[in-house]
Amino acid sequence: MAITEHEDNMKRNSNDEEESLKYSSAVDTSNITFQRKKESKPDKEHLWKGPMEEDGWVHAHNALRGELQDIKEALQSFPRNYPNGAPLWTIEFITSVWKEHEKHVISHHTNEDEIMTPFMKERIILPEKLEEDHRYIVECMKQVSTCIESLKEGDSIDGVVNALLAYEAILIPHLLEEERVALPLCRAYFTPKEVRSKVFKMSMSSPPVEMGSFIHYMTEESFRTKFMKQEGMPWFVWWLVMRPKYRYFLKHVKEPLDSLRNGQETDKSQVEVGCWSCL
């Protein structure tokens, strides 16, 4: 994507701010312009016992936000840790972590585009912008990838940081808009039981980095004692599916980022795990 096109995308998102502001805290779910069928009414909010901030959709977004913040902090530590330019091992670590983040974002969008959005459209007329944003987010990710691929030993990573900040400026408002628009509408038009089957399907099919990140930023204890119970997941799912994905995230994302921030290369085969993982 050319720089001019990237700038156009940034302007587009800036122009969309006014549209987003009308959702300020949350969309008015009683607004009939969102209602696809007369028989499908937005009358199910009272069935959702937990607050929206504890919804799995928000936790999925928290994982993306947390992951991006940690990547940004690791990159911004370079002037202090590596004043003479990036050592080769740091470039290898950045490359591997970014590839995992790309997998995470693409899977997240695929879950929304192929599972949640068609499901919600059965009863809801969703704003087209929510789906369109995914294309622009991917284009911005490609800009970051291009900058990382061009890195050589001793290079400055300023170009990578700038591309990452541009990507962040697109991603973060999009996540917030989904939480203010799509999530409240989902909880108004569907019961927890109806949504739970979709959540379980996405959880089981997600790549290791996505589910591992979800667990890490929620905290392993909260995931096992609260979220699994909330979503009706059997206890053995932790051992067979979730624990391996969590440990994958620690090894392939958290450990390399810790090394970059600390300014010291470590053996990626050695991964610190919390006591819960030892049970």
Side-chain angles (χ1 to χ4, degrees):
M1 182 173 63
I3 295 298
T4 53
E5 184 182 348
H6 172 67
E7 290 172 347
D8 286 343
N9 292 342
M10 294 294 289
K11 289 177 182 177
R12 168 189 170 276
N13 278 268
S14 177
N15 292 336
D16 285 335
E17 276 188 22
E18 288 186 17
E19 180 182 347
S20 299
L21 284 174
K22 68 184 179 184
Y23 301 120
S24 60
S25 58
V27 69
D28 178 7
T29 57
S30 65
N31 188 332
I32 61 171
T33 60
F34 295 111
Q35 188 174 347
R36 187 170 294 279
K37 302 174 184 176
K38 284 187 177 180
E39 61 270 24
S40 300
K41 299 185 183 300
D43 56 0
K44 299 170 181 65
E45 289 177 79
H46 68 284
L47 299 174
W48 294 82
K49 303 304 181 185
M52 272 194 282
E53 56 266 29
E54 292 300 324
D55 193 278
W57 205 339
V58 174
H59 281 297
H61 286 177
N62 288 343
L64 288 171
R65 282 185 284 250
E67 206 171 283
L68 179 56
Q69 180 63 26
D70 284 346
I71 293 171
K72 184 172 71 171
E73 289 179 3
L75 294 180
Q76 290 176 333
S77 74
F78 270 55
R80 179 184 72 252
N81 291 333
Y82 320 106
N84 297 320
L88 184 59
W89 72 266
T90 65
I91 296 173
E92 293 172 351
F93 276 32
I94 292 169
T95 301
S96 64
V97 168
W98 182 251
K99 285 180 179 178
E100 293 297 335
H101 182 72
E102 282 186 307
K103 291 178 195 174
H104 184 171
V105 175
I106 290 170
S107 175
H108 180 79
H109 287 176
T110 300
N111 283 335
E112 290 179 342
D113 294 342
E114 297 183 4
I115 298 176
M116 284 306 297
T117 297
F119 170 66
M120 292 174 65
K121 280 185 172 180
E122 293 173 8
R123 300 177 189 175
I124 306 167
I125 300 173
L126 290 169
E128 292 182 3
K129 178 179 178 297
L130 295 179
E131 290 181 83
E132 291 172 354
D133 279 353
H134 288 177
R135 180 164 61 91
Y136 293 101
I137 290 168
V138 170
E139 289 300 329
C140 284
M141 284 195 349
K142 288 179 180 178
Q143 286 280 312
V144 180
S145 297
T146 298
C147 290
I148 291 175
E149 288 165 6
S150 69
L151 285 175
K152 300 183 297 298
E153 186 173 12
D155 280 353
S156 164
I157 62 158
D158 288 351
V160 178
V161 173
N162 290 335
L164 189 76
L165 293 176
Y167 162 62
E168 180 184 46
I170 296 283
L171 177 67
I172 300 303
H174 169 74
L175 300 180
L176 183 58
E177 189 169 7
E178 284 187 337
E179 291 164 11
R180 290 175 170 175
V181 182
L183 177 56
L185 288 170
C186 181
R187 289 164 70 110
Y189 281 90
F190 295 92
T191 67
K193 183 177 180 181
E194 289 172 319
V195 174
R196 189 173 293 136
S197 63
K198 304 299 179 184
V199 172
F200 188 75
K201 180 179 180 180
M202 292 186 290
S203 299
M204 297 298 286
S205 63
S206 67
V209 65
E210 182 178 20
M211 202 66 230
S213 181
F214 186 101
I215 296 166
H216 175 68
Y217 290 103
M218 174 186 284
T219 76
E220 180 187 349
E221 182 177 359
S222 291
F223 180 82
R224 294 180 66 181
T225 62
K226 296 179 182 178
F227 186 78
M228 288 185 65
K229 182 179 180 181
Q230 172 185 303
E231 300 301 326
M233 294 183 185
W235 64 270
F236 58 82
V237 168
W238 168 255
W239 299 103
L240 296 179
V241 181
M242 302 306 176
R243 183 174 182 265
K245 291 184 177 185
Y246 176 50
R247 292 174 69 85
Y248 180 95
F249 175 84
L250 295 178
K251 178 178 180 179
H252 294 277
V253 179
K254 183 181 182 299
E255 183 76 4
L257 287 177
D258 287 345
S259 294
L260 292 171
R261 273 195 298 260
N262 296 335
Q264 184 176 358
E265 182 178 9
T266 55
D267 183 355
K268 287 193 285 186
S269 67
Q270 300 299 316
V271 181
E272 292 184 11
V273 293
C275 61
W276 276 89
S277 293
C278 301
L279 298 179

